[in-house]
Amino acid sequence: AQKITQTQPGMFVQEKEAVTLDCTYDTSDPSYGLFWYKQPSSGEMIFLIYQGSYDQQNATEGRYSLNFQKARKSANLVISASQLGDSAMYFCAMREANQAGTALIFGKGTTLSVSS
Amino acid sequence: DTGVSQDPRHKITKRGQNVTFRCDPISEHNRLYWYRQTLGQGPEFLTYFQNEAQLEKSRLLSDRFSAERPKGSFSTLEIQRTEQGDSAMYLCASSLGAGFTGELFFGEGSRLTVL
């Protein structure tokens, strides 16, 4: 069964610094997709970035990049130049290709706090 | 606003009562998902629809939980005989297409408090 592990309950960073949020996953399917979502205190889940298992390059979206290490089964989110508005919960999620119809499976999340 | 909308945003009920939540997905999205999220945890998948067909419901938490999407547009999630353990945020999401690359678009959730 697929599984997502986020081992950092909370992370603290100062404005303008970079931060890495860890995510490891477990799957036996060679085809899968990895996602990161942000959930601010308002509660809405906001999609940040996607990485496919066959993508040769690490995904990037503005200040977000995904450090994808397939052999280690890790998909860490890197946020560069942190901003106060980045303070939120961050969730890593995965969907396997052979279960394309099913929903994303989420990790427990990491709370990021950005200070000035 | 053309995002996913959920109603009500907050619901307080007494144990044993029935509650129903509504979700209106993004109009062109054929897939609709329900999740439950408890405090400090990630969203937990409950069920999903493709158009009006409920293709996965084995993860509904008990037979007190049921969901419908009668015309392939909006969906309802009903909890019968609520228990205090049902207190949580209920999230709805929608997506387009059959591939596994598609992101889910979430609503703001319906928060349930069972007294």
Side-chain angles (χ1 to χ4, degrees), chain B residues 7-8 10-22 62-66 76-84 86-87 90 111-115:
Chain B
D7 183 71
H10 303 274
K11 178 72 176 179
I12 300 173
T13 191
K14 293 182 179 179
R15 188 178 55 179
Q17 298 295 306
N18 298 344
V19 296
T20 300
F21 301 112
R22 175 179 171 127
S62 78
D63 58 6
R64 298 184 296 105
F65 287 71
S66 63
T76 58
L77 176 70
E78 181 182 17
I79 308 173
Q80 296 182 328
R81 305 180 303 281
T82 53
E83 302 173 356
Q84 288 184 328
D86 297 333
S87 296
Y90 291 86
R111 183 170 296 283
L112 173 65
T113 301
V114 181
L115 302 177

Side-chain angles (χ1 to χ4, degrees), chain A residues 51-72:
Chain A
Q51 179 84 43
S53 58
Y54 293 120
D55 292 344
Q56 295 297 312
Q57 294 187 327
N58 288 342
T60 60
E61 290 286 348
R63 294 186 298 110
Y64 304 108
S65 61
L66 202 152
N67 183 2
F68 181 45
Q69 298 189 38
K70 195 170 183 177
R72 293 185 177 185

Side-chain angles (χ1 to χ4, degrees), chain A residues 5-39:
Chain A
T5 302
Q6 294 180 257
T7 57
Q8 306 156 313
M11 290 288 286
F12 298 86
V13 68
Q14 288 201 316
E15 266 187 302
K16 302 180 184 179
E17 292 184 350
V19 63
T20 297
L21 306 183
D22 294 342
C23 172
T24 57
Y25 59 92
D26 187 24
T27 179
S28 57
D29 192 333
S31 299
Y32 50 88
L34 295 158
F35 301 76
W36 276 92
Y37 279 81
K38 171 184 178 181
Q39 187 177 42

Side-chain angles (χ1 to χ4, degrees), chain B residues 26-86:
Chain B
I26 294 171
S27 58
E28 63 267 27
H29 285 185
N30 59 345
R31 295 193 165 200
L32 187 148
Y33 306 82
W34 284 100
Y35 283 83
R36 182 182 78 159
Q37 187 178 22
T38 53
L39 194 63
Q41 300 294 314
E44 176 185 12
F45 171 62
L46 296 179
T47 188
Y48 101 99
F49 294 85
Q50 179 163 310
N51 300 314
E52 66 274 12
Q54 189 173 13
L55 298 186
E56 173 64 65
K57 57 181 178 180
S58 64
R59 301 194 197 191
L60 284 168
L61 301 166
S62 78
D63 58 6
R64 298 184 296 105
F65 287 71
S66 63
E68 293 184 340
R69 194 183 184 196
K71 297 183 179 179
S73 57
F74 73 91
S75 175
T76 58
L77 176 70
E78 181 182 17
I79 308 173
Q80 296 182 328
R81 305 180 303 281
T82 53
E83 302 173 356
Q84 288 184 328
D86 297 333

